């Protein structure tokens, strides 16, 4: 079972609707380019998922690379997770070093005590 979330943190359909709105392009314009009805495209833009081939067609029709935006977002998340993992690893190493220093101190004290006992026994 995967430890990753199944849901993409980017609402792709919402981004497409906003892009159309920002460019003042009606959905019917895009639907015509995709050779589908406006109603069908409206439905697709309000679903939770979209097939990659449909998304590809939309990007080509709009001359807009939403895949790059997705890739940039993913890159940031991956680097963020890697940074968190390094921080956790760094903290673990610090704790281990601290424990090892305590162990060394105890062993040095024990060694010193044993040397004193040996010296006393020789006398």
């Amino acid at each position: 079972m995967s430890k990753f979330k199944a849901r993409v943190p980017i609402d792709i359909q919402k981004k497409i609707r906003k892009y159309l709105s920002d460019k003042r392009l009606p959905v019917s314009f895009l639907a015509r380019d995709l050779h589908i009805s406006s109603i069908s495209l409206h439905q697709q833009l309000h679903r939770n998922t979209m097939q990659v081939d449909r998304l590809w067609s939309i990007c080509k029709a709009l001359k807009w690379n939403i895949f790059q935006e997705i890739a940039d977002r993913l890159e940031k998340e991956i680097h963020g997770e890697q940074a968190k993992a390094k921080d956790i690893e760094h903290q673990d190493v610090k704790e281990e070093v601290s424990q090892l220093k305590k162990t060394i101190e105890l062993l040095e004290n024990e060694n010193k005590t044993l040397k004193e006992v040996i010296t006393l026994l020789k006398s």
Side-chain angles (χ1 to χ4, degrees):
M1 187 164 167
S2 177
K3 67 178 181 174
F4 301 105
K5 295 178 185 174
R7 194 162 194 309
V8 178
I10 299 171
D11 187 338
I12 294 169
Q13 289 81 347
K14 185 177 181 179
K15 286 187 86 58
I16 293 169
R17 291 191 308 269
K18 183 173 178 354
Y19 185 89
L20 288 170
S21 174
D22 290 349
K23 299 289 183 184
R24 293 190 169 93
L25 296 171
V27 171
S28 60
F29 167 82
L30 180 56
R32 231 182 350 264
D33 274 4
L34 299 175
H35 306 290
I36 60 174
S37 71
S38 295
I39 293 171
S40 177
L41 184 55
H42 272 291
Q43 290 172 342
Q44 290 177 29
L45 293 177
H46 286 87
R47 287 189 192 136
N48 291 333
T49 61
M50 182 176 286
Q51 292 183 352
V52 173
D53 61 340
R54 173 60 68 205
L55 187 55
W56 185 272
S57 298
I58 289 171
C59 289
K60 282 181 65 178
L62 296 175
K63 295 174 180 40
W64 171 48
N65 187 355
I66 195 171
F67 292 100
Q68 187 62 54
E69 290 184 34
I70 294 168
D72 291 345
R73 173 76 182 265
L74 183 58
E75 195 69 25
K76 286 178 187 175
E77 285 190 25
I78 288 170
H79 286 310
E81 289 171 5
Q82 288 173 342
K84 285 180 192 174
K86 284 182 182 178
D87 288 346
I88 290 169
E89 185 179 319
H90 189 248
Q91 186 60 34
D92 289 346
V93 168
K94 277 184 169 180
E95 289 173 13
E96 187 175 353
V97 166
S98 176
Q99 278 300 113
L100 289 170
K101 284 181 178 179
K102 288 177 187 176
T103 301
I104 288 170
E105 186 178 335
L106 288 171
L107 289 171
E108 285 174 342
N109 286 335
E110 186 177 299
N111 191 23
K112 181 181 173 186
T113 303
L114 287 171
K115 284 180 179 179
E116 289 173 359
V117 167
I118 290 171
T119 302
L120 288 172
L121 287 173
K122 284 183 176 180
S123 315

